[in-house]
């Protein structure tokens, strides 16, 4: 009867509450949605591009406000109370999503300004300014959740989930920067090494967020993650050695390599991010091993 009473009490709290929009959190969400949509429209009006950085920017300015809108609607109808009881830590999920959106919008603001803002491109500066404001309001939510309100984190906004979010984010930067590898088998193997860990990361994140699903697994998730991380580290060690050797052999940096567009600089970005992800996977592996051994991850 205790469980049934808890369920009835939880369902009674799930009522429409438009006052959510008037709170500080609701105001931030409205600002995030409006700024993201305005930035998306301005960038689309400026004109399209076949460049992967532009596609990634447009995806970010569409994905982030959609997720923010979904979170706002769920909180407005108090459905987060039900989700919190049955399947996930809602505060942890929303803080984690804010962290992910911050990474995406801030990185997009930097790359868009680098490629499309110039002295003779005032419209590019307008879009860049809105993109920076967009990244700023998402950053404010992270600061508010993590430092001002000090929300309790169980996974996504804690260290284990933070590593996974960063690894997935850096992988995305690598993928949108890949170029000049198709006629080189060694570099194609590096691309395969980048691809293998990537789809498993969101599965690990989703499984840890969904508490009920995690309990139903027929195996120990922490040990699976440990094996996954060992394989990922080995793959990235391979890529960290092979990619720079075969990419930059007989391919020196051009004398003219403007920061706004230079194929060599983009290829170097892949190399740099490969080492960044190798460090992230290695740190994640160390902390996961410590967790298996009984040390608390904070």
């Amino acid at each position: 009867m205790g469980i049934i009473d808890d369920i009835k009490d939880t369902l009674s709290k799930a009522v429409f509450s438009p006052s959510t929009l008037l709170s500080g959190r609701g105001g931030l969400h409205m600002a995030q949605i409006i700024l993201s949509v305005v930035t998306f429209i301005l960038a689309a009006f400026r004109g399209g591009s076949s460049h992967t950085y532009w596609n990634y920017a447009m995806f970010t300015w569409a994905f982030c406000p959609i997720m923010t809108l979904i979170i706002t609607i769920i909180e407005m109808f108090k459905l987060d109370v039900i989700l919190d009881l049955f399947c996930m830590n809602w505060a942890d999920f929303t803080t984690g999503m804010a962290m992910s959106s911050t990474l995406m919008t801030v990185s997009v603001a930097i790359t868009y300004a680098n490629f499309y803002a110039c002295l003779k491109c005032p419209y590019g500066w307008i879009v860049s300014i809105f993109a920076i404001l967009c990244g700023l309001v998402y950053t404010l939510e992270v600061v508010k959740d993590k430092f001002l309100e000090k929300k309790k984190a169980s996974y996504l906004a804690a260290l284990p989930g933070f590593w996974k979010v960063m690894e997935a984010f850096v992988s995305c930067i690598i993928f949108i920067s890949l170029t000049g590898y198709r006629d080189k088998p060694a570099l194609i193997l590096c691309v395969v090494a980048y691809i293998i860990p990537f789809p498993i990361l969101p599965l690990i994140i989703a499984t840890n967020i969904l508490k009920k699903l995690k309990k139903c697994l027929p195996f120990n998730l922490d040990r699976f993650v440990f094996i996954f991380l060992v394989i990922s580290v080995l793959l990235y060690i391979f890529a960290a050695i092979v990619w720079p050797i075969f990419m930059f052999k007989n391919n020196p940096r051009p004398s003219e390599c403007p920061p706004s567009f230079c194929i060599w600089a983009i290829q170097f970005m892949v190399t740099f991010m490969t080492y960044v992800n190798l460090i992230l996977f290695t740190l994640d592996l160390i902390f996961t091993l410590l967790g298996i051994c009984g040390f608390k991850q904070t």
Side-chain angles (χ1 to χ4, degrees):
M1 290 296 293
I3 297 176
I4 295 176
D5 290 338
D6 288 341
I7 294 174
K8 289 181 178 179
D9 182 60
T10 302
L11 291 174
S12 67
K13 297 177 182 177
V15 293
F16 178 66
S17 178
S19 60
T20 303
L21 298 177
L22 303 178
S23 64
R25 178 180 176 81
L28 271 177
H29 284 181
M30 290 300 99
Q32 290 164 358
I33 293 170
I34 293 171
L35 283 171
S36 297
V37 171
V38 170
T39 307
F40 179 91
I41 293 173
L42 288 173
F45 183 76
R46 179 189 180 279
S49 169
S50 59
H51 202 287
T52 51
Y53 286 125
W54 188 86
N55 295 329
Y56 176 65
M58 297 302 288
F59 169 79
T60 296
W61 293 324
F63 172 79
C64 292
I66 288 173
M67 290 304 301
T68 304
L69 179 62
I70 291 172
I71 290 171
T72 302
I73 292 173
I74 289 174
E75 291 182 345
M76 191 164 58
F77 285 90
K78 295 293 184 181
L79 297 176
D80 56 300
V81 179
I82 299 175
L83 293 173
D84 211 21
L85 176 67
F86 290 105
C87 62
M88 69 170 64
N89 183 326
W90 181 253
D92 178 61
F93 171 74
T94 53
T95 303
M97 281 304 306
M99 292 167 64
S100 302
S101 298
T102 299
L103 286 171
M104 294 175 69
T105 52
V106 170
S107 65
V108 160
I110 294 171
T111 54
Y112 191 93
N114 183 56
F115 279 92
Y116 299 104
C118 62
L119 294 176
K120 298 180 180 180
C121 314
Y123 197 87
W125 278 109
I126 294 174
V127 177
S128 299
I129 290 170
F130 274 93
I132 292 169
L133 292 174
C134 186
L136 179 61
V137 290
Y138 276 107
T139 304
L140 288 175
E141 182 177 1
V142 174
V143 172
K144 179 174 178 291
D145 288 349
K146 292 291 289 182
F147 300 104
L148 299 181
E149 297 182 359
K150 296 183 179 180
K151 288 187 177 180
K152 184 180 179 182
S154 61
Y155 179 76
L156 195 56
L159 199 54
F162 176 74
W163 293 130
K164 305 299 183 300
V165 170
M166 287 296 296
E167 290 155 6
F169 169 73
V170 174
S171 297
C172 289
I173 298 299
I174 290 174
F175 289 139
I176 65 174
S177 303
L178 287 172
T179 183
Y181 64 89
R182 295 182 181 179
D183 57 341
K184 300 177 181 179
L187 298 183
I188 293 175
L189 289 176
C190 291
V191 174
V192 173
Y194 298 136
I195 292 173
I196 290 174
F198 182 71
I200 303 176
L201 285 170
L203 294 178
I204 293 174
I205 293 172
T207 306
N208 277 282
I209 291 174
L210 302 174
K211 297 179 288 186
K212 299 293 184 182
L213 177 60
K214 185 177 180 180
K215 293 178 181 178
C216 295
L217 293 176
F219 55 86
N220 186 297
L221 182 60
D222 290 336
R223 292 179 181 175
F224 170 80
V225 171
F226 176 74
I227 295 171
F228 161 75
L229 290 173
V230 170
I231 295 173
S232 298
V233 168
L234 293 175
L235 289 171
Y236 268 87
I237 289 174
F238 169 80
I241 296 172
V242 174
W243 180 272
I245 292 175
F246 286 88
M247 175 56 72
F248 299 114
K249 183 180 181 181
N250 300 322
N251 180 25
R253 187 181 190 277
S255 56
E256 294 185 5
C257 190
S260 59
F261 189 82
C262 177
I263 296 298
W264 190 93
I266 295 174
Q267 293 168 345
F268 179 79
M269 174 69 76
V270 175
T271 305
F272 178 76
M273 287 300 175
T274 298
Y275 285 104
V276 170
N277 235 9
L278 175 58
I279 293 171
L280 289 173
F281 275 113
T282 303
L283 290 173
D284 195 0
L285 175 61
I286 293 171
F287 278 92
T288 300
L289 181 60
L290 292 174
I292 293 174
C293 295
F295 292 91
K296 185 178 180 181
Q297 299 185 41
T298 59

